[in-house]
Amino acid sequence: MSIKRETIADTFALISFGLVVGMSVELFVAGLSLEQSLHSRLLSIPVNLLIARPYGMYRDWIMARGRKVTSSSLMDSIMDIVAFLSFQMPVYAVLVGTSGASLDQVITACMGQLGALILMGPSLWHLYADVP
């Protein structure tokens, strides 16, 4: 895949996951107000535009480390979670925190994002990674 296509795939995946899953978690799990969630999600768009490709490269690097141990889908899932927790979760926590969320809401939103990633993330990233 070319760098341009990888960048587009990474950006689309991160923004779409962030908008749909992020807003759902913030509203229905963490209890943020609609205004707080909109603030968080709107702020996330330019941030995700800037970090999508670096995150995709970092994630690919983390995944490659795991594949040196074993090429199982379980290892891919574990490494996907490691990449998310170590790169994306701190960014997400700051975005939610700047929206006026309480510390409890930030923690709950982060745990909700992690849960969503565990359930949905690998299939979404693989879908976008396979874009020709």
Side-chain angles (χ1 to χ4, degrees):
M1 189 183 299
S2 73
I3 291 175
K4 182 178 178 181
R5 287 183 181 197
E6 288 174 344
T7 301
I8 290 169
D10 288 340
T11 303
F12 184 76
L14 193 57
I15 289 175
S16 61
F17 183 85
L19 286 175
V20 174
V21 175
M23 188 168 228
S24 297
V25 166
E26 291 164 7
L27 292 174
F28 304 118
V29 177
L32 272 68
S33 69
L34 180 59
E35 182 180 330
Q36 288 172 316
S37 185
L38 284 173
H39 179 269
S40 171
R41 296 302 84 220
L42 289 174
L43 186 59
S44 76
I45 294 171
V47 171
N48 286 338
L49 285 171
L50 291 173
I51 68 168
R53 186 62 194 134
Y55 176 60
M57 292 167 54
Y58 175 74
R59 183 185 171 278
D60 291 345
W61 180 79
I62 292 287
M63 299 293 277
R65 304 289 75 74
R67 289 182 184 131
K68 286 185 177 183
V69 176
T70 181
S71 61
S72 72
S73 60
L74 176 60
M75 179 59 79
D76 282 353
S77 294
I78 290 168
M79 299 316 284
D80 196 29
I81 292 166
V82 168
F84 183 80
L85 287 173
S86 60
F87 189 107
Q88 199 60 27
M89 187 68 77
V91 173
Y92 180 70
V94 169
L95 289 171
V96 174
T98 61
S99 71
S102 69
L103 181 58
D104 286 344
Q105 288 176 314
V106 171
I107 292 168
T108 302
C110 287
M111 293 302 99
Q113 281 285 78
L114 179 59
L117 176 74
I118 290 168
L119 293 174
M120 302 169 53
S123 61
L124 290 175
W125 279 104
H126 293 299
L127 174 68
Y128 296 121
D130 293 336
V131 173

